[in-house]
Every structure is written in C-alpha cells, then in structure tokens.
Amino acid sequence: MSTLKRTLTIAAGSLLLLAATLAWHIHAVTKPHANGHLANVQLARIDFATALDHAEAASIRSTVNALPGVQHARMNDARTNLVYSYDRALQDQHRVLDAVEALTTTPCERFVVTAEAAATGCPAMVRGDVGGWLSGLLH
C-alpha cells in the first residue's frame, strides 16, 4: 500500500470515528430525562445553629431526600447545613423546613439570599479568577 493511500485511510478512519463520537454525544445529551422540566427545579438550604451528630444528620438527609418532589439532599461535612434541590410544582421550602424541625431539637432556619447577593449573580464566579476573566471576556 502506498504512503498516500495509507495516510488517506488513517485520516478517513479518524474522521469517521470523530463523527460517530459526535453523533453519540448529541444523542446522549438530547434524550428526555425523568427529572422533569428544569425550570421548576430550585436549590434550597437549611442552616443549623450547631453541628448535628452523624446519626441525626443522616436521618434528616434521608427523610428530606424521601419527600415528594425532592431530587437530591446533601448534608455538608460539618453537618451545619442541608442543601437540597426540589421541584417547585411538587414541594415547598416551608414544608421541608417543617419536616426538618419535626426531626431535630437543634434550631434551624431557611437560608434566604439577600437582594445584594442575588444581584451579583453566581457565587462561584468570583471576580479576579479564571471565571471572572471569562465573564469579562464574554460580556
């Protein structure tokens, strides 16, 4: 086989492999998900006044995770706050807080974002880092 034929065969094979990978990726990210419409999904947080013991934190997390409409519930490592996502059409933050308050004697409250914090956007996009640089580049 000549060098030209071999080079063209390798290039064609590589392009075919890349095209197949792209087609698979498009198929994988566009198929419908069982989580429902993401416009109704919201994050919420409940802060505890003191750290919970491990068993109590696990119990609260599993109870909140089992509530209808709650998709994910996670307790932070220090066990001082619970973060969960929920479908607003099926669940309400106040009902989740009521369920948590029924499980613990530790004072807890909903985390409410201030208007100033909401106006600054995503807290992960701290100015002065790569995110700030990219944000400045795109705007």
Side-chain angles (χ1 to χ4, degrees):
M1 180 182 261
S2 73
T3 306
L4 179 62
K5 275 187 172 180
R6 184 173 180 211
T7 303
L8 289 176
T9 303
I10 291 172
S14 297
L15 286 175
L16 183 64
L17 181 63
L18 287 172
T21 303
L22 178 63
W24 172 82
H25 175 73
I26 290 171
H27 171 71
V29 299
T30 58
K31 65 182 176 181
H33 297 286
N35 289 344
H37 197 277
L38 293 178
N40 287 335
V41 176
Q42 184 169 343
L43 282 175
R45 185 173 102 184
I46 297 175
D47 294 331
F48 298 94
T50 60
L52 303 172
D53 65 64
H54 188 69
E56 185 178 27
S59 171
I60 290 172
R61 188 200 63 78
S62 64
T63 301
V64 170
N65 212 22
L67 291 173
V70 174
Q71 296 175 356
H72 302 285
R74 301 289 183 259
M75 188 72 68
N76 71 338
D77 288 339
R79 298 182 305 275
T80 57
N81 64 44
L82 171 77
V83 177
Y84 61 95
S85 61
Y86 68 99
D87 187 337
R88 294 182 302 161
L90 303 173
Q91 194 53 264
D92 180 55
Q93 288 185 33
H94 298 288
R95 285 189 288 177
V96 174
L97 181 63
D98 291 342
V100 170
E101 286 177 333
L103 295 171
T104 185
T105 58
T106 304
C108 57
E109 63 183 2
R110 286 184 324 121
F111 175 75
V112 180
V113 179
T114 64
E116 180 184 336
T120 61
C122 179
M125 297 298 283
V126 177
R127 301 296 178 221
D129 66 349
V130 175
W133 178 77
L134 284 175
S135 177
L137 186 66
L138 297 175
H139 291 105

